[in-house]
Structure formats: C-alpha cells, structure tokens
Amino acid sequence: MAQIHPTALVDCRAELADDVVIGPYTVVGPHVRIGAGTTVGAHCVLEGRTTIGRDNRIFPFVSLGLPSQDKKYAGEPCELIIGDRNTIREYSTYHIGTVQGGGVTRLGNDNWMMAYTHLAHDCIVGDHTIFANNAQLAGHVQVGDWAILGGFTVVHQFVRIGAHAMTAMCALLFADVPPFVMAQGQPARARSMNYEGLRRRGFSAARIGVVKAMHKALYREGLTLQQAQARIAALAEQHPEAAADVALMEAFLAGVDAQRGIVR
C-alpha cells in the first residue's frame, strides 16, 4: 500500500503505485496518477488530469495540475504529464494545457527543477534540463533536452529554447534560442555557445569545432538567417561525425517564426 500521511487528503479515485509516499497535508485529486517510487512532500496540491511517472521527488508546497491562467480556458479536460526521475523543488507551479495549445503540458525525464519554477499551459520541456530558482515559462514555450535556464530567467509565450542551450541569470527571452547557444541580457542576446556543457556531456573536439562553425555562421559573419542556414547545411557533408548536431540545428532553424526570429 502507498504510504499516505494521516493528514493528507487523497481522493479514493486517484491511482497511486504501491510504494508512493504522500506527505502531511498534501491534497491529491481524483484524476491524478502517480507512478512507482515517487515521493510527494508536505503541503502539496496535485489536481486535474495529472500523470506523474516513476521515481520523482516532489518537495513541499508544489502545485501540479491546476487550471491554466489563460482566460480562454473553460474547463476542458486537459492534462499535465510528468515523466520519470524528475526533482521538483519547493513552490513550483505547473499547469495543465489548453485546447488551443494541444491540451497537454509536458515535463520529460531526469529534469532538475529548482524552487519557484513555473510551467504555464501547453509548455513542452524535454529531458535532462536544469531550471534554476524562479525560472518562469509563459504559455506554449518549448525547451529542448539538456537546456539550462539560469535563475530568474523569464520566457515569453511561444518562444523555443533549443537543446544544449543555456541562459544567464535574469535573462529575458522574446526570441528563440537556437541549440547550443548561450544567451544573456534583457532582452537576451546570444553571447557564445555552451562549450563547457558540451565537453561535460562527452562531445568530442571535432563536434565542438562544428558547433563553433555554426555559431560563426549565425553570429559572426554578417549573414542573413537564410544564408546562415545554407552555410550550416554544408557542414554535415564536411564533418559527418557531427551530422546529428547539424541536423538538430537545421530542424530548429526551419521552425523559426519570421516575426519572432532568434536571439541576436
């Protein structure tokens, strides 16, 4: 049986794996499902159609699955889906999606979410990300795998942050951040690439060299975005060992909105 503190209020229709732990004064609603090995701290609220995977650690005062703060939301059966092995620290708030955005807010696997982080409706966050304290996403934001958001980073709605990207403390994002890019400022501008992060993840010197070449095409040669895309595409043939990295950048740039653009 799940270990439920006597002061917790868990709806009898909620689905809890046998070894789930629910702390004092926590409230769990009827449509919540929690996977094996997950622990939920004191004073949490888990509501809505919320699915939480295995081996997550949810700290006190976290709020998951409540209705979005979008005024268009009218009670539709939307969802929050959280994967496996995530750490979600105190006072974080993650809302369900809206029908206008696909109906799902999603957090992937192995993410490290520090205190006061916020995922608004319809956000999609990948795997292995780090959100420092008070990193805040507005609605419809997408964050790629291995991205790192510095403390107090604020992201405008519909902005995309590519895989392996990084933002500095207090960054304010109004435009997309391509993969590998380090962004800083208010509004944020591209400063460099996340080379140290790539080294820590086992990128070879040759692959990092291709990332440097992509940075040069995007930011150092005075090219238009279309010209930079052509220059980047050619790198895959020249450096087959980094073809996957080039493809990651190409796919991201192909989805850039003409009005929003990328950080410059």
Side-chain angles (χ1 to χ4, degrees):
M1 296 291 291
Q3 300 179 44
I4 301 173
H5 192 274
T7 61
L9 298 177
V10 179
D11 194 285
C12 63
R13 292 165 290 180
E15 298 179 25
L16 277 59
D18 288 344
D19 57 352
V20 166
V21 177
I22 304 294
Y25 301 102
T26 283
V27 177
V28 180
H31 303 296
V32 174
R33 296 184 295 173
I34 306 177
T38 291
T39 62
V40 182
H43 297 278
C44 294
V45 177
L46 281 56
E47 287 285 355
R49 287 169 170 80
T50 296
T51 300
I52 301 170
R54 301 175 60 92
D55 300 315
N56 294 283
R57 294 191 302 160
I58 300 171
F59 282 71
F61 299 100
V62 167
S63 173
L64 302 176
L66 272 69
S68 76
Q69 297 178 114
D70 189 328
K71 292 178 70 175
K72 297 189 297 296
Y73 180 70
E76 299 91 348
C78 297
E79 297 180 82
L80 169 66
I81 299 176
I82 294 173
D84 303 329
R85 300 176 302 278
N86 297 290
T87 296
I88 303 174
R89 295 303 303 247
E90 298 85 349
Y91 294 98
S92 293
T93 55
Y94 304 162
H95 294 160
I96 60 173
T98 64
V99 292
Q100 294 83 4
V104 177
T105 302
R106 188 183 302 273
L107 177 68
N109 304 319
D110 301 293
N111 297 288
W112 187 262
M113 314 294 285
M114 298 187 196
Y116 293 92
T117 56
H118 177 63
L119 304 186
H121 59 89
D122 307 296
C123 287
I124 304 296
V125 178
D127 304 331
H128 303 285
T129 68
I130 298 173
F131 282 43
N133 297 313
N134 281 283
Q136 310 276 307
L137 306 187
H140 310 278
V141 169
Q142 298 179 30
V143 180
D145 298 344
W146 298 102
I148 300 174
L149 273 61
F152 295 90
T153 291
V154 178
V155 187
H156 193 271
Q157 62 259 33
F158 293 100
V159 163
R160 299 178 305 145
I161 299 172
H164 304 284
M166 183 174 181
T167 68
M169 183 178 67
C170 296
L172 179 57
L173 300 178
F174 293 112
D176 289 352
V177 182
F180 312 110
V181 168
M182 295 182 67
Q184 176 192 32
Q186 300 178 343
R189 300 180 63 185
R191 300 299 183 183
S192 183
M193 293 295 209
N194 187 16
Y195 300 124
E196 182 58 33
L198 300 181
R199 293 187 187 97
R200 292 179 181 180
R201 289 171 211 134
F203 275 59
S204 66
R207 291 176 66 190
I208 291 175
V210 172
V211 171
K212 290 181 178 179
M214 290 192 287
H215 179 262
K216 186 176 179 181
L218 283 171
Y219 297 112
R220 295 290 181 262
E221 296 187 340
L223 303 177
T224 66
L225 182 57
Q226 292 72 24
Q227 291 169 332
Q229 286 174 278
R231 184 74 59 84
I232 289 168
L235 293 171
E237 293 185 7
Q238 301 166 11
H239 304 277
E241 70 278 11
D245 306 318
V246 174
L248 180 67
M249 181 67 80
E250 286 185 290
F252 187 93
L253 296 177
V256 171
D257 180 85
Q259 290 186 328
R260 184 170 55 250
I262 65 173
V263 292
R264 288 292 194 179

Coordinates of all heavy atoms in Angstrom, one line a residue, residues 35-81:
G35 N 3.3 7.2 -10.4 CA 4.0 6.0 -10.6 C 4.9 5.6 -9.5 O 5.1 6.3 -8.5
A36 N 5.4 4.4 -9.6 CA 6.2 3.7 -8.5 C 7.4 4.6 -8.1 O 8.0 5.2 -9.0 CB 6.6 2.4 -9.0
G37 N 7.7 4.5 -6.8 CA 8.9 5.2 -6.4 C 8.9 6.7 -6.2 O 9.9 7.3 -5.8
T38 N 7.7 7.3 -6.5 CA 7.6 8.8 -6.4 C 7.3 9.2 -5.0 O 6.4 8.5 -4.3 CB 6.6 9.3 -7.4 OG1 7.0 9.1 -8.7 CG2 6.3 10.7 -7.1
T39 N 7.9 10.2 -4.5 CA 7.6 10.8 -3.2 C 7.1 12.2 -3.3 O 7.6 13.0 -4.1 CB 8.9 10.8 -2.3 OG1 9.9 11.6 -2.8 CG2 9.4 9.4 -2.1
V40 N 6.1 12.5 -2.5 CA 5.5 13.8 -2.6 C 5.5 14.4 -1.2 O 5.1 13.8 -0.2 CB 4.0 13.7 -3.0 CG1 3.4 15.1 -3.1 CG2 3.9 13.0 -4.4
G41 N 6.1 15.6 -1.1 CA 6.3 16.2 0.2 C 5.1 16.8 0.9 O 3.9 16.6 0.4
A42 N 5.3 17.5 1.9 CA 4.2 18.1 2.7 C 3.5 19.3 2.0 O 4.2 20.0 1.2 CB 4.6 18.5 4.1
H43 N 2.2 19.5 2.2 CA 1.5 20.7 1.7 C 1.5 20.9 0.2 O 1.5 22.0 -0.3 CB 2.1 21.9 2.4 CG 2.0 22.0 3.9 ND1 0.8 22.4 4.5 CD2 2.9 21.6 4.8 CE1 1.0 22.3 5.8 NE2 2.2 21.8 6.1
C44 N 1.6 19.8 -0.5 CA 1.5 19.9 -2.0 C 0.0 19.8 -2.4 O -0.8 19.2 -1.7 CB 2.3 18.8 -2.6 SG 4.1 18.9 -2.4
V45 N -0.3 20.3 -3.6 CA -1.6 20.1 -4.2 C -1.4 19.5 -5.6 O -0.8 20.1 -6.5 CB -2.3 21.5 -4.3 CG1 -3.6 21.3 -5.0 CG2 -2.5 22.1 -2.9
L46 N -2.0 18.3 -5.8 CA -1.9 17.6 -7.1 C -3.4 17.5 -7.5 O -4.1 16.7 -6.9 CB -1.2 16.3 -6.9 CG 0.3 16.2 -6.9 CD1 0.8 17.1 -5.8 CD2 0.8 14.8 -6.7
E47 N -3.7 18.2 -8.6 CA -5.1 18.2 -9.0 C -5.2 18.0 -10.5 O -4.2 17.7 -11.2 CB -5.8 19.6 -8.7 CG -6.1 19.8 -7.2 CD -7.3 19.0 -6.7 OE1 -8.0 18.4 -7.6 OE2 -7.5 19.0 -5.5
G48 N -6.4 18.0 -11.1 CA -6.6 17.9 -12.5 C -6.2 16.6 -13.1 O -6.0 15.6 -12.3
R49 N -6.2 16.5 -14.4 CA -5.7 15.2 -15.1 C -4.2 15.2 -15.1 O -3.6 15.6 -16.1 CB -6.4 15.1 -16.4 CG -7.9 14.8 -16.3 CD -8.6 15.0 -17.7 NE -10.0 14.5 -17.6 CZ -11.0 15.1 -17.0 NH1 -10.8 16.3 -16.5 NH2 -12.2 14.6 -16.9
T50 N -3.6 14.8 -14.0 CA -2.2 14.9 -13.9 C -1.6 13.5 -13.8 O -2.1 12.7 -12.9 CB -1.8 15.7 -12.6 OG1 -2.3 17.0 -12.8 CG2 -0.3 15.6 -12.3
T51 N -0.7 13.2 -14.6 CA 0.0 11.9 -14.6 C 1.5 12.1 -14.3 O 2.2 12.9 -14.9 CB -0.1 11.2 -16.0 OG1 -1.4 11.0 -16.3 CG2 0.7 9.9 -16.0
I52 N 2.0 11.4 -13.2 CA 3.3 11.6 -12.8 C 4.0 10.2 -12.8 O 3.4 9.2 -12.3 CB 3.4 12.1 -11.3 CG1 2.6 13.5 -11.2 CG2 4.8 12.2 -10.8 CD1 2.4 14.0 -9.8
G53 N 5.2 10.1 -13.5 CA 5.8 8.9 -13.7 C 6.5 8.3 -12.5 O 6.2 8.6 -11.3
R54 N 7.6 7.5 -12.7 CA 8.3 6.8 -11.7 C 9.4 7.7 -11.1 O 10.0 8.5 -11.7 CB 8.9 5.5 -12.3 CG 7.9 4.6 -12.9 CD 8.6 3.4 -13.5 NE 9.4 2.7 -12.6 CZ 9.0 1.6 -11.9 NH1 7.8 1.2 -12.0 NH2 9.8 1.0 -11.0
D55 N 9.7 7.4 -9.8 CA 10.9 7.8 -9.1 C 11.1 9.4 -9.1 O 12.2 9.9 -9.2 CB 12.1 7.1 -9.7 CG 12.1 5.6 -9.5 OD1 11.7 5.2 -8.4 OD2 12.4 4.9 -10.5
N56 N 10.0 10.1 -9.1 CA 10.1 11.5 -9.0 C 10.2 12.0 -7.5 O 9.6 11.3 -6.6 CB 8.9 12.2 -9.6 CG 8.8 12.0 -11.1 OD1 9.5 12.6 -11.9 ND2 8.0 11.1 -11.6
R57 N 10.9 13.1 -7.3 CA 10.9 13.6 -5.9 C 10.3 15.0 -6.0 O 10.8 15.9 -6.6 CB 12.4 13.8 -5.4 CG 13.0 12.4 -5.2 CD 14.4 12.6 -4.5 NE 15.2 13.5 -5.2 CZ 16.3 14.1 -4.6 NH1 16.5 14.0 -3.3 NH2 17.0 14.9 -5.4
I58 N 9.1 15.1 -5.3 CA 8.3 16.4 -5.3 C 8.4 16.9 -3.9 O 7.9 16.3 -2.9 CB 6.9 16.1 -5.8 CG1 6.9 15.5 -7.2 CG2 6.1 17.4 -5.7 CD1 5.6 15.0 -7.7
F59 N 9.0 18.1 -3.8 CA 9.2 18.7 -2.5 C 8.0 19.5 -2.0 O 7.0 19.7 -2.7 CB 10.5 19.6 -2.6 CG 11.7 18.8 -2.6 CD1 12.1 18.0 -3.6 CD2 12.6 18.8 -1.4 CE1 13.3 17.3 -3.6 CE2 13.7 18.1 -1.4 CZ 14.1 17.3 -2.5
P60 N 8.0 20.0 -0.7 CA 6.9 20.6 -0.1 C 6.4 21.9 -0.9 O 7.2 22.6 -1.6 CB 7.3 21.0 1.3 CG 8.4 20.0 1.6 CD 9.1 19.8 0.3
F61 N 5.1 22.1 -0.8 CA 4.4 23.3 -1.3 C 4.4 23.4 -2.9 O 4.2 24.5 -3.4 CB 5.0 24.6 -0.7 CG 4.9 24.6 0.8 CD1 5.9 24.3 1.6 CD2 3.7 25.0 1.4 CE1 5.8 24.3 3.0 CE2 3.6 25.0 2.7 CZ 4.6 24.7 3.6
V62 N 4.5 22.3 -3.5 CA 4.5 22.3 -5.0 C 3.0 22.1 -5.4 O 2.2 21.5 -4.8 CB 5.3 21.1 -5.6 CG1 5.0 20.8 -7.0 CG2 6.8 21.3 -5.4
S63 N 2.6 22.8 -6.5 CA 1.3 22.8 -7.1 C 1.3 22.3 -8.5 O 1.9 22.9 -9.4 CB 0.7 24.2 -7.0 OG -0.6 24.2 -7.7
L64 N 0.7 21.1 -8.7 CA 0.7 20.5 -10.0 C -0.7 20.2 -10.5 O -1.6 19.7 -9.8 CB 1.4 19.2 -10.0 CG 2.9 19.2 -9.5 CD1 3.4 17.8 -9.4 CD2 3.7 20.0 -10.4
G65 N -1.0 20.6 -11.8 CA -2.2 20.2 -12.5 C -3.4 21.1 -12.3 O -4.5 20.7 -12.7
L66 N -3.2 22.3 -11.7 CA -4.3 23.2 -11.6 C -4.6 23.8 -12.9 O -3.8 23.8 -13.9 CB -4.1 24.2 -10.5 CG -4.5 23.8 -9.1 CD1 -3.6 22.7 -8.6 CD2 -4.4 25.0 -8.2
P67 N -5.8 24.4 -13.1 CA -6.2 25.0 -14.4 C -5.2 26.1 -14.8 O -4.6 26.8 -13.9 CB -7.6 25.6 -14.1 CG -8.1 24.8 -13.0 CD -7.0 24.4 -12.2
S68 N -5.0 26.3 -16.1 CA -4.1 27.3 -16.6 C -4.6 28.7 -16.2 O -5.8 28.9 -15.9 CB -4.0 27.2 -18.1 OG -5.1 27.7 -18.7
Q69 N -3.7 29.7 -16.3 CA -4.1 31.1 -16.1 C -4.5 31.8 -17.4 O -4.5 33.0 -17.4 CB -2.9 31.8 -15.4 CG -2.6 31.2 -14.0 CD -1.4 31.8 -13.3 OE1 -1.5 32.5 -12.3 NE2 -0.2 31.6 -13.9
D70 N -4.7 31.0 -18.4 CA -5.2 31.5 -19.7 C -6.7 31.8 -19.5 O -7.5 30.9 -19.2 CB -5.0 30.5 -20.8 CG -5.2 31.0 -22.2 OD1 -6.1 31.9 -22.3 OD2 -4.6 30.6 -23.1
K71 N -7.1 33.0 -19.8 CA -8.5 33.4 -19.6 C -9.5 32.6 -20.6 O -10.7 32.6 -20.4 CB -8.7 34.9 -19.8 CG -8.0 35.7 -18.7 CD -8.2 37.2 -18.9 CE -9.6 37.7 -18.8 NZ -9.7 39.2 -18.9
K72 N -8.9 32.1 -21.7 CA -9.7 31.3 -22.6 C -10.1 29.9 -22.0 O -11.0 29.2 -22.6 CB -9.0 31.1 -23.9 CG -8.7 32.4 -24.7 CD -8.2 32.2 -26.1 CE -6.8 31.5 -26.1 NZ -5.8 32.3 -25.5
Y73 N -9.3 29.5 -21.0 CA -9.6 28.1 -20.5 C -11.0 28.1 -19.9 O -11.4 28.9 -19.1 CB -8.6 27.7 -19.5 CG -8.8 26.3 -18.9 CD1 -8.6 25.2 -19.7 CD2 -9.3 26.2 -17.6 CE1 -8.8 24.0 -19.2 CE2 -9.5 24.9 -17.1 CZ -9.3 23.8 -17.9 OH -9.5 22.5 -17.4
A74 N -11.8 27.1 -20.4 CA -13.2 27.0 -20.0 C -13.5 25.6 -19.4 O -14.6 25.1 -19.5 CB -14.1 27.2 -21.2
G75 N -12.5 25.0 -18.7 CA -12.8 23.7 -18.0 C -12.7 22.5 -18.8 O -13.1 21.4 -18.4
E76 N -12.1 22.6 -20.0 CA -11.9 21.4 -20.9 C -11.0 20.4 -20.2 O -10.1 20.8 -19.4 CB -11.3 21.8 -22.2 CG -12.2 22.7 -23.1 CD -11.9 24.2 -22.8 OE1 -11.2 24.5 -21.8 OE2 -12.4 25.0 -23.6
P77 N -11.1 19.1 -20.5 CA -10.3 18.0 -19.9 C -8.9 18.0 -20.4 O -8.5 17.1 -21.2 CB -11.1 16.8 -20.2 CG -11.7 17.1 -21.5 CD -12.1 18.5 -21.5
C78 N -8.1 18.9 -20.0 CA -6.7 19.0 -20.5 C -5.8 18.4 -19.4 O -6.2 18.0 -18.3 CB -6.3 20.4 -20.7 SG -7.2 21.2 -22.1
E79 N -4.5 18.2 -19.8 CA -3.6 17.4 -18.9 C -2.3 18.0 -18.6 O -1.8 18.9 -19.3 CB -3.2 16.1 -19.7 CG -4.4 15.2 -20.0 CD -3.9 13.9 -20.7 OE1 -3.4 13.0 -20.0 OE2 -4.0 13.9 -22.0
L80 N -1.7 17.5 -17.5 CA -0.3 17.7 -17.2 C 0.4 16.3 -17.1 O -0.1 15.5 -16.4 CB -0.1 18.4 -15.9 CG 1.3 18.5 -15.3 CD1 2.2 19.3 -16.1 CD2 1.3 19.0 -13.8
I81 N 1.5 16.1 -17.9 CA 2.1 14.8 -17.9 C 3.6 15.1 -17.5 O 4.3 15.9 -18.1 CB 2.1 14.2 -19.3 CG1 0.6 13.9 -19.7 CG2 2.9 12.9 -19.3 CD1 0.5 13.4 -21.1

